[in-house]
Amino acid sequence: MVKKSIETISQIVENEKDNAIDLDHALSVAGTGWYNIRYSLALALFLISAIIDTTGYSYVLPASRCDLQMSDAQRGLIGSLPYIGVVATSFPWGYLVDTRGRKFTIIYSSLAAGIFGVLSAFMPEINSFVVFKLLSALCIACPASVPYSFIGEIIPQKYRDITMSVTNAMQICGSTIVPLLAWAILPLDFRVNFGLYDFRSWRLLTILYSSFFIISAILLSFGPESPKYLLSQGKHDESLNMLKKIYAGNKRKPASEYPVKSLILSEQSDKGEKSFFRSLVQQSVPLIRPPYLKWLLLNGVLFFGIFATLNGLNMWIPDILNRVLTGNQTGLTACDVIAQRLNQTVAEEDHCDDSIDTQTFVINTIANLCCALIAVGFSSTVNLVGKKTLLIFVYMIIGVFCILINFVTQDIIFAILVSSVPISALAIGPINAYAVEIFPTNLRGMAVSLTMMLGRTGSIVGTNVAGILINSFCVLTFYIFGGALILCGLLSFLLPRSKAQPKPQEDKKLVTSL
């Protein structure tokens, strides 16, 4: 039976409204394929760049202490710069992400972080080096957190959880690059005189670490803007055109064949121009009121526990491993060995030695590689076990491992337990996946940035707590970190149930009804 043609524009508009579907269903129709997968990989590279830059300090700073005449106290402060920068700027970056767009903000923040980082390698003394490192740190908050919500907005809900977890695993894999590059570059014995200073291997390593930000920005410049962001801004046609591109890239079909013709506009969309203050209030005040306040605080606490361990305790693990594994004592716990070695006074040499033992590179490379492989294996099961189960499992297991360090006396078991700490990064993906579900599109960038800000505060606290306690109260150190992770595991039970994913049959009905 042939349908009657619609003769008036008003009837056409009403018909499109009746057939409009929400964005999650529209993404499901666009499918998952090479188009959105390749840009998810490009976004994952931002996260890898952030982990490379922040963990790279553990190699750059010891290798540069002679050239920059750096004391241990200064080294600790400089090592905290990335986390201080993230905490200080998460709020403004979150505002810009929600008001100026995901793509625009993440590209320019990453370019700035990379350029300032590269320039720091050419600074002759510690003050100018710190200035440029601080400028770079102030730009890291965006590429270190926003890609999670960005990926969640270009991937259909059906594959969102596993994509987040795999992205997380890739970030852990990226941490393996840090000791590998350091192992390849730092032993190179060369000096190029620049007048005010000698260009040595640690400066080249600094450039390589920072260049990942620039590469990431270039790759994403060819990518899409988030269709959810466009729709939240009332840009219906632009959002629909972006979905058509995703559909065409995934299905290898003309964009005109995309069956979705109309989207349900976000109730939050507002095309009117707003003042900066009004816009800022609109982006932040709803997050500190019910029903979002409790989820903002819960996600922030969960991130705090992860980052305090991942970036705090983990920063001291190479040194702890080196001290314990190079000792000849048997039948002693790690803390017993550390206490004994502290009692051995070593005369300080007159000349400055900034060399790093090869064993440090080997241990960290093997540990990071093993953690990366484990992370990939676990992340692939997230759709089977669920992100809440995976989250609780990671918290509990790593927490118990930290406590067991106080009891084991075998070096091999100790090395396995302490080297498992980077696996805790697996919890970041599920927490961000919950953020995508809980917070509306127009508040999501701000919410993720603020929860990440609380998490990065944990990095600062964890680094200093571990540094203060590891020598004087070693046993207490592992009890504190282990107990904090177990507490976070218990708090994870408070997270909401995941939203039901659309079934394939429902998607077909939606498409055929258009």
Side-chain angles (χ1 to χ4, degrees):
M1 182 177 180
V2 180
K3 294 182 179 180
K4 294 181 179 180
S5 60
I6 300 173
E7 298 178 352
T8 67
I9 295 177
S10 60
Q11 286 178 312
I12 293 174
V13 172
E14 288 300 320
N15 185 62
E16 287 185 349
K17 285 183 179 179
D18 291 340
N19 290 324
I21 65 174
D22 64 65
L23 191 56
D24 277 336
H25 288 144
L27 276 171
S28 181
V29 173
T32 303
W34 176 237
Y35 188 90
N36 45 18
I37 288 176
R38 66 177 173 177
Y39 288 118
S40 293
L41 293 174
L43 287 165
L45 188 57
F46 286 99
L47 300 171
I48 293 172
S49 302
I51 200 69
I52 287 174
D53 186 81
T54 54
T55 58
Y57 279 76
S58 60
Y59 291 99
V60 170
L61 296 183
S64 63
R65 70 183 188 89
C66 294
D67 286 350
L68 299 179
Q69 299 179 359
M70 192 187 311
S71 67
D72 289 340
Q74 290 172 324
R75 196 194 320 177
L77 177 61
I78 297 172
S80 300
L81 286 180
Y83 313 121
I84 294 173
V86 170
V87 171
T89 61
S90 288
F91 191 87
W93 281 123
Y95 167 78
L96 289 173
V97 165
D98 284 334
T99 57
R100 296 294 181 266
R102 284 29 167 173
K103 179 180 175 180
F104 172 87
T105 310
I106 197 173
I107 286 177
Y108 283 99
S109 62
S110 187
L111 273 177
I115 291 172
F116 287 133
V118 169
L119 290 175
S120 70
F122 298 93
M123 295 301 105
E125 40 76 42
I126 188 169
N127 291 329
S128 56
F129 177 80
V130 169
V131 168
F132 277 91
K133 273 298 185 183
L134 178 60
L135 290 173
S136 177
L138 294 175
C139 302
I140 291 177
C142 186
S145 60
V146 175
Y148 283 111
S149 58
F150 200 157
I151 290 172
E153 293 176 352
I154 62 173
I155 293 290
Q157 187 177 351
K158 180 180 179 181
Y159 301 103
R160 197 169 290 157
D161 289 349
I162 191 169
T163 303
M164 291 285 199
S165 295
V166 170
T167 300
N168 222 93
M170 291 177 62
Q171 187 178 18
I172 299 175
C173 292
S175 65
T176 308
I177 298 174
V178 175
L180 283 175
L181 282 177
W183 195 356
I185 301 299
L186 289 181
L188 299 177
D189 188 15
F190 67 86
R191 290 176 180 268
V192 180
N193 187 269
F194 274 45
L196 294 175
Y197 63 91
D198 290 336
F199 189 92
R200 295 178 59 210
S201 57
W202 69 266
R203 296 181 182 274
L204 176 59
L205 184 63
T206 302
I207 294 173
L208 291 177
Y209 284 157
S210 297
S211 65
F212 281 87
F213 280 120
I214 300 174
I215 295 171
S216 303
I218 293 173
L219 290 177
L220 188 62
S221 64
F222 300 99
E225 176 57 279
S226 164
K228 282 197 174 184
Y229 165 75
L230 293 172
L231 196 63
S232 72
Q233 299 298 302
K235 300 178 180 179
H236 175 277
D237 292 340
E238 291 182 38
S239 180
L240 189 59
N241 288 336
M242 190 59 65
L243 288 167
K244 289 179 179 179
K245 288 183 181 180
I246 295 175
Y247 173 84
N250 289 336
K251 306 291 186 179
R252 299 289 189 242
K253 295 179 180 179
S256 58
E257 293 185 11
Y258 183 54
V260 178
K261 304 303 179 185
S262 183
L263 301 170
I264 298 175
L265 280 172
S266 170
E267 295 180 0
Q268 305 288 342
S269 63
D270 184 4
K271 296 181 182 180
E273 293 292 329
K274 300 181 288 290
S275 67
F276 172 80
F277 179 76
R278 181 186 173 191
S279 178
L280 189 62
V281 169
Q282 189 175 13
Q283 295 300 126
S284 55
V285 169
L287 294 174
I288 57 176
R289 290 177 177 172
Y292 301 122
L293 176 60
K294 62 181 179 181
W295 303 124
L296 185 74
L297 293 176
L298 179 58
N299 281 21
V301 170
L302 295 179
F303 272 134
F304 187 96
I306 283 296
F307 286 115
T309 306
L310 185 63
N311 297 328
L313 179 62
N314 194 44
M315 179 179 175
W316 299 93
I317 283 179
D319 180 59
I320 297 171
L321 273 171
N322 191 56
R323 281 195 275 178
V324 173
L325 298 182
T326 54
N328 297 318
Q329 297 88 345
T330 57
L332 298 177
T333 65
C335 288
D336 291 336
V337 175
I338 290 173
Q340 279 196 1
R341 300 198 63 160
L342 281 173
N343 293 329
Q344 301 172 2
T345 56
V346 180
E348 189 175 345
E349 299 179 4
D350 293 333
H351 70 280
C352 183
D353 183 12
D354 56 13
S355 61
I356 299 177
D357 190 6
T358 303
Q359 188 177 21
T360 302
F361 302 124
V362 175
I363 293 172
N364 277 274
T365 300
I366 294 175
N368 287 337
L369 182 59
C370 290
C371 288
L373 294 175
I374 293 171
V376 171
F378 272 105
S379 65
S380 62
T381 66
V382 67
N383 272 3
L384 298 176
V385 302
K387 55 179 175 288
K388 180 186 283 191
T389 303
L390 178 62
L391 189 62
I392 295 170
F393 179 80
V394 169
Y395 276 123
M396 292 297 188
I397 291 297
I398 304 303
V400 170
F401 280 6
C402 285
I403 292 175
L404 287 177
I405 290 172
N406 286 326
F407 300 97
V408 298
T409 57
Q410 292 80 18
D411 287 353
I412 294 178
I413 298 178
F414 161 74
I416 293 173
L417 293 178
V418 78
S419 298
S420 67
V421 169
I423 298 177
S424 60
L426 267 177
I428 299 175
I431 298 173
N432 276 303
Y434 271 110
V436 172
E437 288 187 5
I438 294 170
F439 300 104
T441 305
N442 66 309
L443 301 176
R444 189 172 298 144
M446 179 69 77
V448 172
S449 293
L450 288 178
T451 53
M452 278 288 195
M453 180 183 72
L454 293 173
R456 302 294 181 180
T457 303
S459 300
I460 300 172
V461 173
T463 300
N464 287 281
V465 167
I468 293 171
L469 297 181
I470 196 65
N471 290 327
S472 303
F473 303 97
C474 178
V475 174
L476 181 61
T477 303
F478 294 107
Y479 276 129
I480 288 176
F481 284 96
L485 289 175
I486 292 174
L487 176 60
C488 288
L490 296 175
L491 289 175
S492 298
F493 283 100
L494 300 176
L495 287 166
R497 280 189 166 191
S498 297
K499 293 181 180 179
Q501 296 175 352
K503 296 179 181 179
Q505 292 181 350
E506 293 176 354
D507 291 340
K508 290 179 181 178
K509 291 178 182 179
L510 284 166
V511 175
T512 54
S513 67
L514 297 175

